[in-house]
Amino acid sequence: MRNLLYIDACIRDEESRTKRIAEPIVAELANRYNVTKLALNDLDLDVVQKELLNKRMHGEIPQKVMAWAEQMRDADRIVIAAPFWDMSIPAALKVFFELCSIFDVTFKSNDKTCYGNCKAEKMMYITTRGMDIATGDELEQATPYLKALSWLWGIGPLQVVAAQNMDYVSAEVIEEKIAVAVAEGLQIAKEF
Ligand SMILES: Cc1cc2nc3c(=O)[nH]c(=O)nc-3n(C[C@H](O)[C@H](O)[C@H](O)COP(=O)(O)O)c2cc1C
């Protein structure tokens, strides 16, 4: 079986609506993929600052970080579940990506530019947004960032499953939105 890396950036964990959408989709994909889950709440994520960068320049990369980067590189499929925070992704997820952005692992370069070194031909991004902001709206800065990063790392097309306006509707409507998003994700999962 091929490998699927599931990055769970649902910081609110059991309270998370995004997680409620992601879990049944990932469970379905687990019938066809070996799923490895990285729950960001469980990872010790160091912000990439001067000391860490200097060490990286000298090839000193913590073993746990190298293992995450290699998992990104080697996954056949990637699923990211992350709520919409401050018009983009949670900072913990950005930190995770910065940690994984290691030359000769997730990307390479020649004398002109960088190019990707990851294997995944498809990536799915599952999210919920508090306000009524649609995927592709100029106020929605998560999808453009993830598309750019997947370009840098050589990851195939990004498919987005999103529910929006979650903070301004009744509990009943929230449930409906979650059900619609799960159905949409399961549909994508058939060809994923
Ligand atoms: C720290 C934080 C930042 C947020 N920032 C935004 C935002 O910029 N725009 C927005 O539409 N909703 C924002 N929200 C609302 C969440 O996107 C919304 O409640 C979402 O459904 C939360 O997902 P979750 O239930 O998976 O945690 C924010 C919520 C939190 C906790």
Side-chain angles (χ1 to χ4, degrees), residues 10-12 15-19 82-88 128-133 166-167:
C10 298
I11 311 297
R12 295 194 316 129
E15 308 269 305
S16 167
R17 286 87 66 103
T18 312
K19 193 178 180 123
F84 190 56
W85 275 16
D86 296 287
M87 313 311 263
S88 184
T128 61
R129 307 186 189 107
M131 289 186 277
D132 198 9
I133 296 172
M166 297 296 266
D167 292 355

Side-chain angles (χ1 to χ4, degrees), residues 19-55:
K19 193 178 180 123
R20 284 191 50 205
I21 297 168
E23 296 282 320
I25 298 167
V26 173
E28 174 61 28
L29 288 166
N31 294 320
R32 289 192 286 119
Y33 292 98
N34 278 320
V35 175
T36 302
K37 177 177 173 176
L38 288 176
L40 298 196
N41 275 332
D42 299 340
L43 306 186
D44 190 12
L45 297 169
D46 297 316
V47 176
V48 180
Q49 288 180 303
K50 192 175 175 184
E51 191 187 336
L52 194 149
L53 207 52
N54 284 340
K55 284 187 177 165

Side-chain angles (χ1 to χ4, degrees), residues 108-159:
K108 295 188 177 215
S109 76
N110 54 30
D111 56 349
K112 289 200 176 64
T113 191
C114 296
Y115 58 93
N117 195 40
C118 291
K119 191 172 162 194
E121 285 168 8
K122 290 181 182 178
M123 182 153 100
M124 195 190 307
Y125 163 49
I126 300 165
T127 192
T128 61
R129 307 186 189 107
M131 289 186 277
D132 198 9
I133 296 172
T135 305
D137 189 299
E138 63 176 13
L139 295 173
E140 194 272 291
Q141 288 298 309
T143 306
Y145 166 69
L146 289 173
K147 280 188 178 163
L149 186 75
S150 47
W151 178 86
L152 174 66
W153 288 357
I155 294 168
L158 180 75
Q159 285 161 297

Side-chain angles (χ1 to χ4, degrees), residues 78-116:
I78 297 169
V79 175
I80 297 169
F84 190 56
W85 275 16
D86 296 287
M87 313 311 263
S88 184
I89 56 169
L93 183 57
K94 179 69 160 69
V95 168
F96 174 81
F97 288 141
E98 285 188 21
L99 287 167
C100 290
S101 210
I102 300 173
F103 175 71
D104 255 356
V105 183
T106 41
F107 73 98
K108 295 188 177 215
S109 76
N110 54 30
D111 56 349
K112 289 200 176 64
T113 191
C114 296
Y115 58 93

